[in-house]
């Protein structure tokens, strides 16, 4: 803003300077026209050295003297090389008349007259154009500065999320290892206990979560995998951890949709979308997972029957720290976007949302 204010102030000051120089040049041309008039009216014995000195002193202002019938009488400081001289000078004079850059010289007591038609000097034209060039340079500087600032801010945020993710994975590693050892001991001690396998599944789940966090910030190598299977894993996981009031519907093609991806991280994306859908429906409603192919990419849509998102909040849902829930850090959708866009070169966005009717998130991943 300071740069813009400086540029605008410079523009105004330059405009005032140009205006003063225009007045000064018109004054010079008035003196030049008076000298021409004096030469025209001079007698054979009159000393015209001063008038000729004034005429010859003009070396910067283009000028054409024309008669009453627009016939060219004299010109100075005009480059006519490669032009039809007479026609070019007549057009120049007509253009200056339309711009009101002419001084009339009456000849004697008759009604005859001459017109001194002049244009701005080259220096004045450059001075008039320079403020706009300066303003353009300042605007480019401002745009580059803003872009650099936003990029720096985003890079700093990425470092924070990456550091947080890796530290979380590191901190989870030790207790998970201990839990794995304890569950193995419990299996040996109580081989017929039905709860121990469930405990083992939860420990494996923790191990997978730690693995996902450890991969944030690195570029995991994508491999070909079935998107159908990934979505089925998410549905199985959500079915076991949500109430019977939440129904999950699937709309998948009959064939497998094969995509190059990191299956573990992509499951996390869909899980986040499904968990947000459950929260939005307050534990009761329907989630519809749709999978189809379109223009060399796999399309996944997650639709819920929840309370919807306010229009003004849609553009902020992927912003780190933004959340409408009473309890939440606002990191789930931010990490989901990072996984989709940076790791899988795809897109994730809110396709549709209506208050009281639900929301549809759309994920596009190229093959």
């Amino acid at each position: 803003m300071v740069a813009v204010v400086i540029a605008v102030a410079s523009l105004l000051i330059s405009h005032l300077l140009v205006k003063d120089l225009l007045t000064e040049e018109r004054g010079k041309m008035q003196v030049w026209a008076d000298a021409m008039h004096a030469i025209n009216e001079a007698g054979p014995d009159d000393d015209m050295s001063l008038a000729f000195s004034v005429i010859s002193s003009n070396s910067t202002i283009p000028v054409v003297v024309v008669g009453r019938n627009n016939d060219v009488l004299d010109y100075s400081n005009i480059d006519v090389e490669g032009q039809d001289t007479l026609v070019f000078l007549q057009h120049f004079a007509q253009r200056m008349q339309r711009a009101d850059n002419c001084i009339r010289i009456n000849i004697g007591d008759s009604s005859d007259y001459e017109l001194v038609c002049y244009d701005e000097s080259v220096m004045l034209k450059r001075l008039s154009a320079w403020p706009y060039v300066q303003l353009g340079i300042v605007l480019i500087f401002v745009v580059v500065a803003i872009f650099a600032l936003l990029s720096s801010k985003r890079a700093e945020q990425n470092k924070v999320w990456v550091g947080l993710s890796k530290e979380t994975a590191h901190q989870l590693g030790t207790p998970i290892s201990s839990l794995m050892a304890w569950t193995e001991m419990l299996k040996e001690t109580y081989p017929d206990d039905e709860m121990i396998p469930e405990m083992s599944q939860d420990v494996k789940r923790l191990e997978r979560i730690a693995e996902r966090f450890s991969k944030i910030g690195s570029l995991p190598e994508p491999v070909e995998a079935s998107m159908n299977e990934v979505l089925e894993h998410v549905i199985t996981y959500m079915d076991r951890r949500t109430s019977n009031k939440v129904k999950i519907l699937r709309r998948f093609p009959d064939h497998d949709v094969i995509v190059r991806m990191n299956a573990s991280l992509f499951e996390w994306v869909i899980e986040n979308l499904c968990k947000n859908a459950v929260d939005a429906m307050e534990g009761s409603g329907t989630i519809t997972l749709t999978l189809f192919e379109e223009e060399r990419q796999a399309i996944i849509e997650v639709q819920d029957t929840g309370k919807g998102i306010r229009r003004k909040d849609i553009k902020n849902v992927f912003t780190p720290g933004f959340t409408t829930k009473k309890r939440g850090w606002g990191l789930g959708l931010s990490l989901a976007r990072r996984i989709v866009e940076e790791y899988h070169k795809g897109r994730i966005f809110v396709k549709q949302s209506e208050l009281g009717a639900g929301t549809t998130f759309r994920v596009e991943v190229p093959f």
Side-chain angles (χ1 to χ4, degrees):
M1 289 183 68
V2 171
V4 171
V5 169
I6 292 173
V8 172
S10 175
L11 190 65
L12 292 175
I13 293 172
S14 299
H15 177 72
L16 293 175
L17 292 175
V18 169
K19 189 176 180 181
D20 291 340
L21 289 174
L22 279 173
T23 303
E24 183 179 344
E25 285 196 353
R26 184 169 184 85
K28 288 181 179 180
M29 292 315 300
Q30 183 64 57
V31 174
W32 198 89
D34 292 341
M36 286 290 297
H37 182 263
I39 293 173
N40 291 337
E41 298 294 324
D45 299 326
D46 293 339
D47 183 7
M48 291 289 102
S49 58
L50 179 59
F52 282 117
S53 177
V54 171
I55 295 297
S56 62
S57 66
N58 175 33
S59 60
T60 57
I61 303 175
V63 59
V64 173
V65 181
V66 296
R68 183 174 184 177
N69 298 320
N70 204 37
D71 48 325
V72 178
L73 303 177
D74 193 10
Y75 71 93
S76 178
N77 304 321
I78 298 178
D79 183 12
V80 294
E81 186 177 353
Q83 305 285 343
D84 185 333
T85 304
L86 185 60
V87 174
F88 180 78
L89 292 174
Q90 287 176 339
H91 287 169
F92 178 91
Q94 291 171 359
R95 194 169 71 252
M96 293 304 103
Q97 290 177 49
R98 289 193 296 269
D100 196 26
N101 283 357
C102 291
I103 299 174
R104 178 168 171 158
I105 303 174
N106 294 319
I107 301 177
D109 298 329
S110 65
S111 59
D112 197 12
Y113 62 87
E114 295 175 357
L115 289 177
V116 177
C117 303
Y118 65 94
D119 196 5
E120 299 172 0
S121 64
V122 175
M123 185 61 68
L124 186 59
K125 288 181 178 178
R126 290 175 179 173
L127 186 59
S128 300
W130 169 245
Y132 297 99
V133 175
Q134 186 181 25
L135 184 61
I137 293 172
V138 170
L139 289 177
I140 292 173
F141 167 77
V142 170
V143 171
V144 171
I146 292 174
F147 178 78
L149 181 64
L150 293 178
S151 298
S152 175
K153 183 179 179 181
R154 183 174 181 181
E156 184 178 356
Q157 287 179 341
N158 286 340
K159 288 181 180 179
V160 172
W161 305 138
V162 170
L164 177 64
S165 300
K166 289 187 175 297
E167 181 63 20
T168 302
H170 176 71
Q171 294 295 336
L172 286 174
T174 302
I176 289 175
S177 299
S178 298
L179 287 172
M180 292 175 66
W182 280 113
T183 51
E184 290 300 321
M185 290 180 63
L186 288 172
K187 285 181 182 178
E188 294 177 2
T189 306
Y190 306 100
D192 298 326
D193 195 305
E194 297 180 356
M195 299 300 295
I196 295 177
E198 292 297 324
M199 293 174 61
S200 297
Q201 290 296 323
D202 285 336
V203 172
K204 289 180 180 179
R205 173 68 184 171
L206 281 174
E207 188 178 12
R208 173 173 287 189
I209 291 172
E211 178 190 1
R212 289 172 178 174
F213 274 110
S214 67
K215 289 180 179 179
I216 295 296
S218 59
L219 290 176
E221 185 67 26
V223 295
E224 290 189 350
S226 170
M227 185 64 75
N228 308 55
E229 292 183 6
V230 169
L231 298 182
E232 286 291 352
H233 289 164
V234 175
I235 292 172
T236 300
Y237 170 76
M238 294 300 299
D239 275 338
R240 296 176 60 187
R241 285 162 176 79
T242 54
S243 69
N244 296 330
K245 296 181 181 179
V246 176
K247 295 182 180 179
I248 302 180
L249 305 180
R250 54 176 67 77
R251 295 176 182 172
F252 300 165
D254 295 332
H255 62 280
D256 281 344
V257 178
I258 305 299
V259 179
R260 288 185 59 82
M261 61 178 168
N262 183 282
S264 177
L265 288 180
F266 206 87
E267 281 184 25
W268 196 5
V269 173
I270 306 303
E271 282 178 19
N272 268 314
L273 295 178
C274 290
K275 288 177 181 177
N276 285 344
V278 172
D279 291 337
M281 296 185 302
E282 298 180 347
S284 177
T286 301
I287 300 174
T288 304
L289 287 177
T290 304
L291 171 65
F292 59 95
E293 299 170 85
E294 183 181 276
E295 297 180 356
R296 298 294 302 165
Q297 58 184 0
I299 310 296
I300 306 99
E301 292 184 352
V302 181
Q303 181 181 7
D304 64 57
T305 57
K307 56 187 177 181
I309 305 172
R310 293 181 298 180
R311 185 177 297 273
K312 67 176 184 178
D313 291 337
I314 289 178
K315 62 181 180 180
N316 296 320
V317 293
F318 295 103
T319 303
F322 178 84
T323 179
T324 57
K325 295 182 287 188
K326 294 181 179 179
R327 298 181 64 184
W329 288 13
L331 298 180
L333 288 178
S334 174
L335 290 173
R337 183 173 66 175
R338 182 187 180 94
I339 292 169
V340 172
E341 294 183 357
E342 296 191 20
Y343 297 163
H344 296 87
K345 308 304 178 185
R347 285 204 311 155
I348 179 172
F349 56 94
V350 179
K351 178 183 178 182
Q352 183 180 3
S353 186
E354 184 178 347
L355 290 178
T359 301
T360 301
F361 279 87
R362 180 173 173 133
V363 182
E364 300 175 354
V365 185
F367 291 148

